[in-house]
């Protein structure tokens, strides 16, 4: 059974409704690293929100682990483009906030069990800081004391501490400088190999999609006002030889800018 099964999904906004995605079908198996590529406004983030459970299609359905999820939960971690950190909480408190809210109500926070679990959450949070290349002393800092790259590492730790089966990353590195971005790309590949999580990574950067993903899914429109469909579904060669990269970049960019075909062009082995 597929981990993620997007079945003939259509999403529309506005009055009268204007389709943004139409007839989108997609299957993601457990352990894949799939990059979703396309121009600005083609519905990449919308597709991610459908899988997260924060948005509903007007037609079709999205199954995760064989069932429809009506809201986000701990099975799917989410890392947005803009850092999702609480400015009034320390790094450590930002990371542990999610599991504390998931496991304990306000009424149950004055019990010995809460304080015991809180110590465990904080030990886990320190371990994630270490794995993500931060110092234990960074845990006492506030977000405005961190660089952009450090804040994004904390946002990834926030998502990972709930041990999600699926990690959804929405343009997560686009605000970073080139050197920091390359470092974060290497880091997320290492984490993917170490954790076995299934990752969907939204980007409009073709080179980034090729360097990160085992698979690239391209969304495109037939015209400016038309809804987006999947124009290309391509497995990334492993290893991806350096001399092949320019040809693959041209191929993906043509798919992203040309009219989307009536049927998905699949190049998965």
């Amino acid at each position: 059974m597929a981990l993620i099964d997007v079945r003939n999904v259509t999403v529309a906004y506005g009055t009268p409704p204007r389709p943004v995605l139409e007839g989108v079908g997609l299957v993601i198996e457990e352990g894949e690293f799939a990059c979703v590529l396309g121009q600005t406004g083609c519905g990449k983030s919308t597709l991610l929100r459908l899988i997260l459970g924060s948005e509903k299609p007007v037609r079709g359905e999205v199954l995760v682990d064989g069932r429809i999820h009506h809201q986000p939960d701990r099975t799917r971690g989410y890392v947005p483009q803009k850092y999702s950190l609480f400015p009034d909480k320390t790094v450590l408190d930002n990371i542990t906030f999610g599991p504390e809210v998931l496991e304990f109500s306000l009424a149950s926070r004055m019990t010995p069990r809460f304080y015991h679990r809180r110590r465990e959450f904080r030990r886990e949070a320190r371990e994630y800081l270490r794995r993500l290349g931060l110092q234990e002393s960074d845990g006492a800092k506030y977000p405005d004391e961190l660089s952009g790259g450090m804040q994004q590492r904390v946002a990834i730790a926030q998502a990972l501490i709930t041990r999600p089966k699926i990690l959804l990353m929405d343009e997560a590195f686009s605000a970073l400088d080139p050197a920091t971005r390359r470092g974060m790309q290497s880091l997320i590949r290492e984490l993917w190999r170490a954790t076995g999580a299934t990752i969907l990574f939204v980007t409009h950067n073709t080179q980034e999609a090729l360097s990160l993903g085992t698979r690239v899914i391209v969304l495109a429109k037939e015209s400016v006002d038309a809804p987006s469909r999947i124009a290309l579904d391509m497995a990334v060669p492993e290893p991806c030889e350096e001399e092949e990269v320019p040809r693959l970049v041209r191929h993906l960019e043509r798919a992203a800018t040309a009219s989307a075909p009536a049927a998905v062009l699949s190049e998965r082995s």
Side-chain angles (χ1 to χ4, degrees):
M1 181 177 64
L3 180 59
I4 300 168
D5 191 356
V6 180
R7 298 180 174 178
N8 197 30
V9 157
T10 295
V11 177
Y13 300 131
T15 307
R18 176 177 167 268
V20 176
L21 296 173
E22 188 171 73
V24 172
L26 180 64
V27 171
I28 305 288
E29 302 292 345
E30 190 167 355
E32 287 198 82
F33 194 139
C35 288
V36 182
L37 184 68
Q39 294 184 312
T40 301
C42 71
K44 303 184 300 296
S45 297
T46 299
L47 179 61
L48 228 60
R49 290 194 296 271
L50 288 168
I51 295 167
L52 180 63
S54 63
E55 193 158 331
K56 305 294 182 290
V58 296
R59 286 193 299 276
E61 59 185 11
V62 179
L63 305 180
V64 177
D65 252 351
R67 64 186 183 92
I68 296 173
H69 293 249
H70 297 288
Q71 61 186 13
D73 60 37
R74 66 191 306 162
T75 64
R76 286 148 295 157
Y78 178 67
V79 182
Q81 177 179 355
K82 296 193 182 297
Y83 317 123
S84 56
L85 307 184
F86 298 106
D88 59 337
K89 294 183 183 294
T90 65
V91 164
L92 216 57
D93 288 336
N94 262 286
I95 297 171
T96 59
F97 179 78
E100 287 177 6
V101 168
L102 286 168
E103 194 164 325
F104 294 95
S105 65
L106 285 174
S108 64
R109 292 192 174 203
M110 299 302 291
T111 63
R113 181 175 177 274
F114 169 74
Y115 290 106
H116 173 71
R117 289 292 287 147
R118 190 182 192 192
R119 287 193 295 272
E120 291 180 341
F121 292 147
R122 292 170 84 84
R123 278 198 298 271
E124 287 183 53
R126 292 187 187 97
E127 175 61 19
Y128 277 110
L129 288 179
R130 186 191 65 77
R131 291 176 66 182
L132 288 162
L134 297 173
Q135 303 298 316
E136 187 171 327
S137 58
D138 292 324
K141 295 178 180 177
Y142 287 86
D144 64 0
E145 300 177 88
L146 306 178
S147 68
M150 293 169 75
Q151 289 189 51
Q152 196 63 308
R153 288 168 192 252
V154 176
I156 292 170
Q158 275 185 320
L160 290 176
I161 197 169
T162 59
R163 293 185 175 85
K165 293 185 72 171
I166 300 165
L167 184 60
L168 305 168
M169 305 185 73
D170 191 358
E171 302 270 12
F173 304 153
S174 62
L176 303 178
D177 64 82
T180 304
R181 187 169 185 159
R182 286 192 296 272
M184 293 299 292
Q185 288 168 353
S186 297
L187 174 66
I188 203 64
R189 282 282 292 191
E190 290 169 10
L191 286 170
W192 168 67
R193 292 190 182 99
T195 62
T198 303
I199 298 181
L200 267 76
F201 188 99
V202 161
T203 181
H204 61 264
N205 186 307
T206 309
Q207 195 88 31
E208 182 169 68
L210 282 173
S211 65
L212 286 177
T214 57
R215 174 182 177 188
V216 179
I217 297 151
V218 180
L219 290 176
K221 303 180 178 186
E222 293 179 356
S223 65
V224 173
D225 296 323
S228 293
R229 302 173 186 268
I230 295 178
L232 180 67
D233 188 349
M234 186 190 84
V236 177
E238 183 62 41
C240 188
E241 303 294 345
E242 190 173 339
E243 59 268 20
E244 276 289 285
V245 170
R247 182 187 67 81
L248 292 172
V249 167
R250 290 193 298 271
H251 185 47
L252 290 167
E253 290 181 348
R254 279 198 301 270
T257 56
S259 296
V264 177
L265 176 57
S266 178
E267 298 187 4
R268 299 183 65 207
S269 55

